Amino acid sequence: MAKAEMLASDFFEISTGEQQFLTPEQAFHYQIIPKLIGKHQLAFYVDELHYRLDLIDELELVFGLPVELEKAESAKIQRTLTRYYRRKKDQPKQELTFNYREEKDFLRNLIREAHELGSSDIHLEPYEDKCRIRIRIDGKLVERYEIPMVDYPPVVNKIKIQSHLDIAEKRLPQDGRIEFREDQMKFDIRVSVLPTLHGEKVVMRLLSRDAMQIELSKLGFSDHDLHTFKEAIRKPHGVVLISGPTGSGKTTTLYATLKLLNEETRNIITIEDPIEYTLEGINQVQLKESIGLDFATAMRTFLRQDPDVIMLGEIRDKDTAQMAIRAALTGHLVFSTIHTNSAWGTVTRLIDMGVPPFLIANTLNLSAAQRLVRTLCPHCKQEEEVRPSEFPSGFRPLRPLHTHYVPIGCDNCYYTGYQGRKAIYELIPIDQELAEAIKNDLAFIDDKLADRGIKKLSERAFELLEAGETSLEEVFSLLMD
């Protein structure tokens, strides 16, 4: 039997609307799953081990409607509860309030829940007759709630007010920021509002992580790569660039690097958009293009601030790239990110931006590319025989691979089959020969990199697959490179 068919019978399938009728606290307390949510009648599946005669009366008192209960297998109830009513372990139980007109409760509880579940983004998306709310966990969006469209505008207005945006402007995109403070939780939220066909879509990015907890040794570097990376960042000047798509962990790697370099004897300055981490001892500047504070302008000012280390959030254009190179030439160590598909692609991207090849060759210490890969849950992953047809067409494994592991799902991973993420890296330290290649001839560069034992992202992805740490479906796109 196929995995999907096998799992389908293990759960009660419930819609988002049915799911949000119960708070996680109610669902776990009463051990019930929605079966029918009507205007005049409610029906629930209940754990057969928790059924009691007075439970119907209690639920009718709670919900104010007639209730029917149907006993169900305890294991199936538990699997469904874990899958649909995700709660972070070891957190105080908190009950969400789904009264959308009481905006202060709903919005704060939504943000609190996303933060406690380790979510990076909250998406509020309007459609013709409803709005759905999704949160991003481990890089994947999960639908959590839906609300009627009539109740959506007040929620958007509340977000706009808290992020200091114009509530009357509904035709143009807007960007803002919310400072969320509650009990021991203190973090910022970057807000983006985009007009769409049926209303304004809102994305809130939770910038809640403290860089003090980040360690280079825990990000996914192999021992050899970690040694190579540390050698490059301990040079007194030069440029270190990290490439990858949005959400690939570039900023996390940069801040783990800055934490290592953060000493009393160094002056470290950053310019970011947004500031995603906070680290004591580092001077952080928020980009504000609306008033002319862009990366290039900030860099000009930074050079008058006697810096030892400069971190640019991103190299976006020719001016920023040239300012970064100039800073490196005048004795500074510069870190930044850039959007390319590979580590060597960074070099060609800089050349395309108009940076002279001889300047790149003289200043670039190291180019890195990285991706984030979800790791399989160690409690439920299952070994299967490899079928060559499952690999991308034209892919040739580095070594024979007879078995691999697939995601199954259990209580520990909320039935996703995955638990956490790991970064994989492609590192190219620029030595004298590669510097000459940048200046004079980029031909046969793949052979030069292979001679140095530099592993591509596709090779790193295959090694994770081979070790049983991730699945083929997770690294499929990487193996195509």
Side-chain angles (χ1 to χ4, degrees):
M1 185 181 294
K3 183 186 74 170
E5 296 172 338
M6 190 166 55
L7 288 176
S9 61
D10 291 341
F11 302 95
F12 290 110
E13 296 288 344
I14 59 177
S15 68
T16 305
E18 292 171 334
Q19 172 191 345
Q20 71 183 42
F21 184 81
L22 295 175
T23 66
E25 185 66 20
Q26 289 170 334
F28 278 95
H29 177 72
Y30 294 112
Q31 294 289 296
I32 56 176
I33 300 294
K35 178 184 178 183
L36 171 67
I37 305 299
K39 292 183 179 180
H40 309 292
Q41 177 76 36
L42 303 175
F44 300 101
Y45 297 106
V46 61
D47 187 333
E48 58 189 359
L49 300 180
H50 287 76
Y51 177 81
R52 61 181 194 271
L53 293 176
D54 63 342
L55 183 56
I56 291 179
D57 294 336
E58 188 171 336
L59 291 173
E60 287 180 344
L61 183 63
V62 170
F63 297 112
L65 289 173
V67 171
E68 290 184 0
L69 293 180
E70 179 179 329
K71 295 180 185 178
E73 178 191 354
S74 180
K76 191 170 183 177
I77 289 287
Q78 297 309 312
R79 285 191 291 265
T80 306
L81 286 172
T82 304
R83 185 182 194 186
Y84 288 102
Y85 293 97
R86 183 183 294 218
R87 298 185 304 181
K88 186 174 181 180
K89 294 179 176 66
D90 304 323
Q91 282 284 346
K93 294 180 179 179
Q94 302 207 30
E95 187 168 325
L96 284 177
T97 303
F98 292 106
N99 185 342
Y100 311 109
R101 292 173 180 84
E102 295 178 9
E103 301 161 27
K104 61 181 181 181
D105 294 326
F106 173 66
L107 183 57
R108 293 193 72 82
N109 284 327
L110 174 64
I111 294 171
R112 185 194 307 118
E113 182 199 26
H115 174 71
E116 290 176 352
L117 292 178
S119 171
S120 61
D121 300 87
I122 304 171
H123 291 239
L124 294 89
E125 304 165 318
Y127 296 96
E128 189 171 359
D129 56 356
K130 66 180 180 181
C131 159
R132 72 173 176 178
I133 299 175
R134 297 188 290 174
I135 62 176
R136 190 178 293 279
I137 299 175
D138 287 342
K140 300 293 182 181
L141 284 170
V142 179
E143 186 170 340
R144 294 294 285 176
Y145 310 112
E146 62 180 39
I147 62 177
M149 273 303 294
V150 67
D151 294 321
Y152 182 58
V155 176
V156 175
N157 286 341
K158 183 71 173 180
I159 294 171
K160 284 184 173 183
I161 291 169
Q162 291 194 14
S163 52
H164 308 291
L165 299 179
D166 184 357
I167 63 172
E169 180 56 75
K170 302 181 185 298
R171 300 167 300 169
L172 297 174
Q174 297 188 72
D175 295 308
R177 201 177 186 92
I178 296 175
E179 294 184 2
F180 189 86
R181 302 290 184 267
E182 185 175 284
D183 300 329
Q184 301 301 313
M185 288 188 289
K186 296 181 180 180
F187 57 90
D188 290 342
I189 302 168
R190 185 179 67 179
V191 177
S192 173
V193 180
L194 176 70
T196 66
L197 177 62
H198 297 293
E200 294 176 288
K201 173 180 173 166
V202 181
V203 175
M204 296 187 287
R205 168 154 288 190
L206 279 60
L207 311 174
S208 55
R209 292 154 292 186
D210 186 347
M212 293 304 295
Q213 308 302 319
I214 306 171
E215 300 287 347
L216 266 179
S217 58
K218 298 178 181 178
L219 296 184
F221 285 105
S222 66
D223 291 340
H224 176 267
D225 284 352
L226 184 59
H227 176 73
T228 300
F229 190 82
K230 285 184 175 180
E231 273 195 346
I233 67 175
R234 292 208 181 271
K235 292 182 179 180
H237 52 80
V239 179
V240 174
L241 294 179
I242 301 177
S243 67
T246 301
S248 59
K250 301 186 296 296
T251 305
T252 301
T253 300
L254 284 180
Y255 260 91
T257 304
L258 294 184
K259 180 188 174 187
L260 187 66
L261 298 175
N262 187 17
E263 298 174 354
E264 185 180 344
T265 55
R266 286 193 181 96
N267 177 22
I268 301 176
I269 305 178
T270 76
I271 174 72
E272 304 166 69
D273 182 29
I275 296 173
E276 295 194 32
Y277 295 91
T278 58
L279 188 58
E280 187 175 350
I282 290 179
N283 305 285
Q284 297 172 258
V285 179
Q286 170 67 48
L287 190 76
K288 294 180 181 177
E289 291 183 330
S290 60
I291 59 173
L293 181 57
D294 55 19
F295 284 124
T297 303
M299 279 294 293
R300 294 186 188 97
T301 305
F302 283 1
L303 295 178
R304 296 192 289 270
Q305 288 283 317
D306 187 31
D308 298 296
V309 178
I310 297 172
M311 194 269 270
L312 287 169
E314 182 184 349
I315 290 180
R316 298 177 179 174
D317 51 40
K318 178 180 178 180
D319 288 345
T320 308
Q322 290 184 337
M323 288 301 300
I325 296 294
R326 177 185 166 190
L329 286 171
T330 53
H332 304 90
L333 185 58
V334 180
F335 296 93
S336 189
T337 68
I338 192 167
H339 285 285
T340 61
N341 292 325
S342 65
W344 190 257
T346 295
V347 175
T348 55
R349 176 80 176 114
L350 290 173
I351 293 174
D352 290 343
M353 283 182 173
V355 181
F358 75 91
L359 288 181
I360 301 173
N362 290 338
T363 56
L364 188 60
N365 293 347
L366 178 136
S367 177
Q370 77 174 82
R371 300 290 189 277
L372 284 178
V373 176
R374 287 188 299 168
T375 52
L376 288 165
C377 174
H379 302 281
C380 64
K381 65 181 182 181
Q382 191 173 96
E383 193 172 14
E384 282 190 0
E385 187 177 342
V386 170
R387 293 191 291 271
S389 60
E390 294 178 331
F391 286 96
S393 58
F395 173 75
R396 297 289 180 268
L398 301 175
R399 290 168 291 278
L401 187 65
H402 303 293
T403 62
H404 65 130
Y405 286 86
V406 296
I408 297 299
C410 65
D411 286 355
N412 294 283
C413 60
Y414 305 105
Y415 290 89
T416 63
Y418 297 93
Q419 199 172 70
R421 292 189 291 177
K422 186 175 185 178
I424 57 173
Y425 294 88
E426 175 185 335
L427 301 183
I428 302 179
I430 306 300
D431 57 26
Q432 190 60 42
E433 185 182 358
L434 289 179
E436 288 300 321
I438 294 172
K439 291 179 188 177
N440 304 313
D441 184 14
L442 297 181
F444 308 109
I445 194 63
D446 288 342
D447 294 337
K448 290 183 173 64
L449 298 180
D451 292 341
R452 287 160 175 73
I454 293 170
K455 294 184 178 180
K456 296 182 178 180
L457 288 172
S458 57
E459 296 176 65
R460 296 295 189 193
F462 180 81
E463 289 175 350
L464 276 187
L465 178 66
E466 187 180 40
E469 292 188 52
T470 192
S471 67
L472 178 56
E473 65 180 1
E474 184 66 16
V475 298
F476 187 89
S477 61
L478 292 172
L479 297 179
M480 296 171 66
D481 294 339

